[in-house]
Amino acid sequence: MSQKVIITPEAFEYMEKVTGTDGVEVRVNLPKEIIEQINEICDSFDNDPGELINVLHEAQNRFGYLPAEVQDMVAHNLHIPVAQVYGVVTFYSYFSMIPKGEHPISICVGTACYVRGAERVLEEFIKELGIKVGETTPDGRFSINCLRCVGACGLAPVVLVGDKVYGRVSPDGVKQIIAEYSS
Amino acid sequence: MSHYKMHLLVCAGTGCHSSESDLVYEMLHDEVERKGLSNDVQVIRTGCFGFCEKGPIVKVLPDNTFYTEVKPGDAQEIIDEHVIKGRKVERLLYLDPETNEHVLDSKHMGFYKKQLRVALRNCGTIDPENIDESIARDAYMALGKVITEMTPRETIELIKRSGLRGRGGAGFPTGLKWEITSKNHGDRKYVVCNADEGDPGAFMDRSILEGDPHSVLEAMAICGYCIGASEGLIYIRAEYPLAIRRLRIAISQAQSYGLLGENIFGSDFSFNIKLRYGAGAFVCGEETALIHSMEGLRGEPTNKPPFPAERGYLGKPTCVNNVETFANIPVIVLKGAEWFASIGTEKSKGTKVFALAGKINNVGLIEVPMGITLREIIYEIGGGVKEGKKFKAVQTGGPSGGCLTEKHLDTPIDYESLMAAGSMMGSGGMIVLDEDDCMVSVAKFYLDFIVEESCGKCAPCRIGSKRLYETLDRITLGKGEQEDIEILKNLGMVMKDTALCGLGQTAPNPVLSTLDNFKEEYLEHVNEKKCRSGQCRDLLYYVILEEECTGCMACTRVCPTHAIIGERRNPHVINQEVCIKCGACMEKCQFDAISLQKDYPREVQLTTNNELTV
């Protein structure tokens, strides 16, 4: 996998003209190198519209999220309406149009964690960070997400920060977890 | 291959992996090398042992020693004491909660005694990233037998005779599904493995894919041979990175051994397997939605018929089976249909894997013969309810299922009995609830899930589940009315009859089944505004304890609604009709006399009310 490129708002100041195989010219609000990366991803799946979900997975892997401009480009390459791409992106909870925080916090609210008090842990995170589920802190350090079952039900309730798993988290332990990443 | 005297199996399933089993493996491995034991002792990473509660697990063969909660720092002691000196490390052995003795041999653990591992046969015994270990455990023998000795017809007959039914939930006979797909014509056909395990709290499919991927690949090839397909697709959740990695390794190893690919076993049968990723949508477990998702579309279900067996992926006949169903196939071929049919009940044959979780002592993955009772699962395998609390119910079948209560404890579990009890097998999640769980809140939890996961295509599910959720929410907030219970019932029945797909049709199950079994709890919420478990926080009351109250009047002064009445130096009382539950009094009280209670003394309330009105 190539190096991760983070798309920052400044990146959108550039305008690139892109001519599709059908000869239609469109303007895309993305820097050239990102357009090239998207082309490369789409090419690796033969620009097959049936591979749309795999293309989006790969794009999100590289860019961290799927802003509208990236969706435009993917639609252009696969010769499908942008509406279809947008429809797929918004349908599946795995895809996100908002960049995640530097330390994405995911709280498992699967049934096993729920009956062992995940709700209160979640509330504590919301209180401590001052953001809602699906949001990112203004400084971009943390974001909160809920997910359903990571399969570590023996450790319920479970919280993930990035890839690190915290098991048997109590509401009192929330501060400590955040503190670990705050310095 | 060298012969090892001892094997150290380290669980690398997701549960143990989350508690640093990787580090345990590395420490053990390093320690073995440092002591120069590399030729005698093999350390391997295996799939899930199932006993996730006490992970990370390290099992020592040949003496079946079962170490639990192993920390990376314990590695040295295990090698020094056990491997070199032959003395088991007592403190890491599983402690039998009944006898309070350390169990020396895992065969004597209550957790394993009642289990019969068929689909999980290789999980926790082999290294899933090494095809040779799978082959040593007869992987691809069944495929060889089928291709070289049997016709597709005979194989389908064999599966039909075994009585195997779909383990994804609905329990459709697998052999019949294969037969129908084989009879439908198409220039191409597809085998699809449904590994979109969206049911929160169920993790059996993932454990099989992580612990024994070859059994699934082999079975898919067998299915392909039977129905005339040369291409297989595994639809797996993107949330399962470890399973995806192991599947990729397994597929490439099988291809390099010629067990997948062109002309398998020198026959003219070819079969290839590709992976397709889900992206987090529960409804994609429904087969038509799954197929749309694989085609790169929104995962919305379509009407059946046409069934996928007729027109499925890209419009071609497609056979969709669940991971666990596939994992059973190779054993059936090798051991015979009669052997498989001898296990289980009259209509449900074989075994079923359950993910046992919630308020139970031994959280984990278990496989039991059909027909076992709930009591055996919870008390003998599961080790009883956590912290000695009282058992209340078991939720089976996830958001599509329902609750089984104390009266169902001795019912033999199979597809039919669960249906009759208003629940369903589902994928096999089993969540144990105790007296602290409010059944209305549990139903609300599942409806919340459904509201989020409903694809929105049909009105009964999109709107109905939202209305159900709102009604339940009202009840838990103490704003429920008698007619709400009727609304829940009627709406639930309408959704059952009119929703487009299985998700919508089963969505009201958690509500209907809790209404059936715990109606008095709903009535308490509605009529008395009381939650007996104390889980509904809006139904908690601030109550002044008579013995603790000194009558200092501090609380009466901060109460914004003048709800607290009482004379100086006499215990005060809170008038619950006026109280807005702001909590100011509790904060102010210096004697800890005010607490949140599930209920308040109602007679006292009446008299104070009377006094007030006089």
Side-chain angles (χ1 to χ4, degrees), chain A residues 132-143:
Chain A
K132 293 198 201 103
V133 176
E135 291 182 348
T136 306
T137 50
D139 60 2
R141 292 188 64 80
F142 296 102
S143 58

Side-chain angles (χ1 to χ4, degrees), chain A residues 48-54 57 80 83-84 86-95 109-112 114-117 119-120 123 146-156 158 164-168, chain B residues 14-15 18-19 52-53 200-203 206 235 237-239 276-281 283-284 293-300 357-360 363 386 431 433 437 441-442 445-446 449 452 455 535 537:
Chain A
D48 178 2
E51 299 275 5
L52 175 60
I53 292 176
N54 283 343
H57 267 303
I80 48 176
Q84 191 183 330
Y86 179 74
V88 168
V89 169
T90 49
F91 185 86
Y92 296 97
S93 61
Y94 198 80
F95 297 131
V109 287
T111 322
Y114 168 79
V115 298
R116 289 202 190 171
E119 228 178 7
R120 297 203 178 161
E123 277 167 24
C146 286
L147 51 82
R148 308 271 183 184
C149 203
V150 288
C153 303
L155 300 171
V158 172
K164 187 161 163 57
V165 181
Y166 293 84
R168 301 196 174 106
Chain B
T14 301
S18 304
S19 31
C52 307
E53 179 73 31
F203 49 98
R206 197 209 26 218
Y235 184 84
R237 301 177 74 196
E239 288 93 330
R276 281 281 193 282
Y277 306 115
V283 68
C284 288
S293 180
M294 289 201 308
E295 292 166 346
L297 304 171
R298 287 163 72 97
E300 287 170 346
K359 307 275 184 62
I360 187 140
V363 169
K386 236 184 167 57
I431 311 281
L433 307 171
D437 289 299
S441 300
V442 168
F445 167 80
Y446 280 112
F449 179 80
E452 218 171 277
C455 76
Q535 213 190 342
R537 270 176 287 169

Side-chain angles (χ1 to χ4, degrees), chain B residues 47 124 199 234 243 272 320 323 360 383 410 427 449 510 517 520 522 584:
Chain B
D199 174 0
I234 301 176
N272 275 304
V320 186
V323 172
I360 187 140
D410 292 308
S427 52
F449 179 80
N517 293 311
E520 70 286 352
Y522 276 85

